[in-house]
Amino acid sequence: MNNPLAVALRGKGLLTLMRRAISILRQYGLTTRPMERELQVLAEVLREFQCQGTFPTVATVLARHPHLFRAYQAQGFEFAIHGYRHLDHNLMSAPEQTAMLARAKQVFEAAGVTAQGFRGPYLHANADALAALRQQGLRYDSSQGLAWDVLDGPEPPPYRHVLDFYGALPAARYPSLPTLENGLVRIPYSLPDDEALANRLGKLTTEQQTTLWLAILHRTYELGELFTIGLHPERAQFCRAPLTAVLRTARERQPSIWIARLDEIAAWWQARYAAQATLTYASTGEFTVTVTGPPGVTLLARAVDMETPTQPWIDGYHLVDGLTLHGHAPLRPWIGLAPTAAPALADWLHQQGYLTEPATGPEGYACYLDQPAFPVKEQRPLLARLEALQGPLVRLGRWPHGARSALTITGDIDCLTWWDYLARFWEH
């Protein structure tokens, strides 16, 4: 697939001149590696707070600098696929997307760099792209933008334009949570990101940038959701202050905020989804919940009399010591699902850690659900409804080891040098 600008340049005979100019720049050492310096800044901040990040990378860039990527991988960085080239996957046919992704994966494998996930250039990943990811055996996609309403005033037109271009959804209506879709974990990307702070929201002070990101952190913490910080490494120094403020605040919170890479989040979501719970309830109100699951899985309970040792958690919940809870409740402390309830509803509840069982009616349940359809837009209202219940409830913790919410740092690597950037105009 030809780049339109490259075609135009060839037609005007300018491509040769550009190549000669680059050759001269390289000869005089003018194609330095500013991105390497920015990566070092980012690595310093992450080390300070004992965490790592995920950086989706264009395969052709990786192919030019494999030693650098292997070195950072050894330090704990995760790299994901950001396309073979930086091209809009929404403009490709299904066969083109499949071929491009397979080619990119081959480049990663040849370089000795592990890739478990994908983020589409321009946050674009349509159904064909997702099918190609599954075909290639990748674990997750992190291309869906989710916009948080944290601005003080209306959205500036440049920011509104880019949200529309990305196809971003409003976080006020859609939960900022992973979802498991036919074996592929979809992990949302939070907006505003570093590009918005730098270019789309006007001239923000460092304090204003920090305020916006802290507002998202506070909101996701209150909701028990995920803040995916979008920080392209070339802006590591520019965003150092807001990133440091977010990480410092996150490390201070109790219950904790789980800071993890995208591959770790995807692996956790799949592992906890596979957890199994055994539920028993007697007519006297005595109940037992026993869970088998991955390391880090937890039980939360509220509005029940507990015989098992627990410790206070948050929002009226107690964190159970161990994976077996014995207690007493006047109603079954889990969700009854009607025979007519949509399979999508049952699956989504399971992903969120809610315990369910088939039920023929609402009698005896603190919560009974019978929706025959469950569109995505109903997810946030149902979350609010479930967490506002006054009756007894036992569920699995959403995040590992009793964490309240989650945080991940991620940013795309489109180029490392000016040569990488200019090469985009004629690469095939």
Side-chain angles (χ1 to χ4, degrees), residues 115-284:
Q116 296 191 44
F118 173 83
R119 175 175 298 129
Y122 314 110
L123 298 182
H124 288 171
N126 56 25
D128 291 333
L130 301 181
L133 297 180
R134 295 184 181 95
Q135 181 179 334
Q136 291 298 320
L138 294 181
R139 171 170 274 175
Y140 70 84
D141 166 69
S142 183
S143 303
Q144 179 58 62
L146 205 60
W148 290 90
D149 183 14
V150 292
L151 303 183
D152 184 13
E155 296 170 346
Y159 182 54
R160 181 68 260 169
H161 172 76
V162 78
L163 293 182
D164 292 340
F165 177 65
Y166 289 158
L169 300 173
R173 295 170 56 188
Y174 297 89
S176 184
L177 293 168
T179 54
L180 184 59
E181 299 178 6
N182 299 321
L184 186 71
V185 181
R186 306 289 308 283
I187 304 175
Y189 177 93
S190 300
L191 295 158
D193 60 0
D194 65 304
E195 182 181 345
L197 299 187
N199 300 321
R200 306 285 180 177
L201 296 175
K203 294 183 179 180
L204 300 178
T205 65
T206 299
E207 182 179 0
Q208 289 172 322
Q209 296 167 16
T210 301
T211 297
L212 291 178
W213 276 4
L214 284 176
I216 301 176
L217 182 72
H218 296 326
R219 197 81 59 84
T220 52
Y221 188 78
E222 291 170 358
L223 296 168
E225 297 181 4
L226 169 68
F227 180 15
T228 304
I229 291 184
L231 173 53
H232 294 71
E234 62 264 28
R235 295 195 184 93
Q237 186 61 50
F238 176 81
C239 290
R240 184 167 191 159
L243 175 63
T244 299
V246 166
L247 290 174
R248 180 177 295 114
T249 302
R251 285 301 190 202
E252 293 171 350
R253 284 300 185 105
Q254 288 297 327
S256 65
I257 296 176
W258 182 43
I259 306 177
R261 306 182 315 193
L262 289 177
D263 61 338
E264 295 169 329
I265 292 171
W268 166 254
W269 206 255
Q270 290 178 315
R272 191 179 56 74
Y273 181 78
Q276 299 292 323
T278 302
L279 314 175
T280 60
Y281 187 84
S283 58
T284 57

Side-chain angles (χ1 to χ4, degrees), residues 78-144:
E78 181 206 356
F79 296 102
I81 295 174
H82 194 45
Y84 177 73
R85 294 172 56 205
H86 198 274
L87 297 173
D88 190 341
H89 279 246
N90 282 355
L91 303 180
M92 298 184 198
S93 67
E96 286 173 330
Q97 293 195 66
T98 299
M100 282 285 190
L101 184 61
R103 197 173 176 187
K105 190 177 180 185
Q106 290 171 0
V107 169
F108 274 72
E109 292 172 349
V113 176
T114 302
Q116 296 191 44
F118 173 83
R119 175 175 298 129
Y122 314 110
L123 298 182
H124 288 171
N126 56 25
D128 291 333
L130 301 181
L133 297 180
R134 295 184 181 95
Q135 181 179 334
Q136 291 298 320
L138 294 181
R139 171 170 274 175
Y140 70 84
D141 166 69
S142 183
S143 303
Q144 179 58 62

Side-chain angles (χ1 to χ4, degrees), residues 59-82:
T60 53
V61 174
L62 173 64
R64 293 191 192 93
H65 313 281
H67 300 292
L68 179 69
F69 286 94
R70 285 197 295 268
Y72 275 99
Q73 180 177 254
Q75 295 179 38
F77 277 40
E78 181 206 356
F79 296 102
I81 295 174
H82 194 45

Side-chain angles (χ1 to χ4, degrees), residues 279-289 301-305 325 327-336 355 357 361-368 389-394:
L279 314 175
T280 60
Y281 187 84
S283 58
T284 57
E286 303 295 326
F287 72 87
T288 299
V289 176
R302 71 182 186 195
V304 299
D305 295 325
L325 172 63
H328 182 278
L331 299 169
R332 293 173 184 259
W334 44 78
I335 299 171
L355 306 179
E357 68 179 2
E363 294 78 15
Y365 288 92
C367 181
Y368 177 78
L389 285 173
Q390 298 301 310
L393 184 64
V394 178

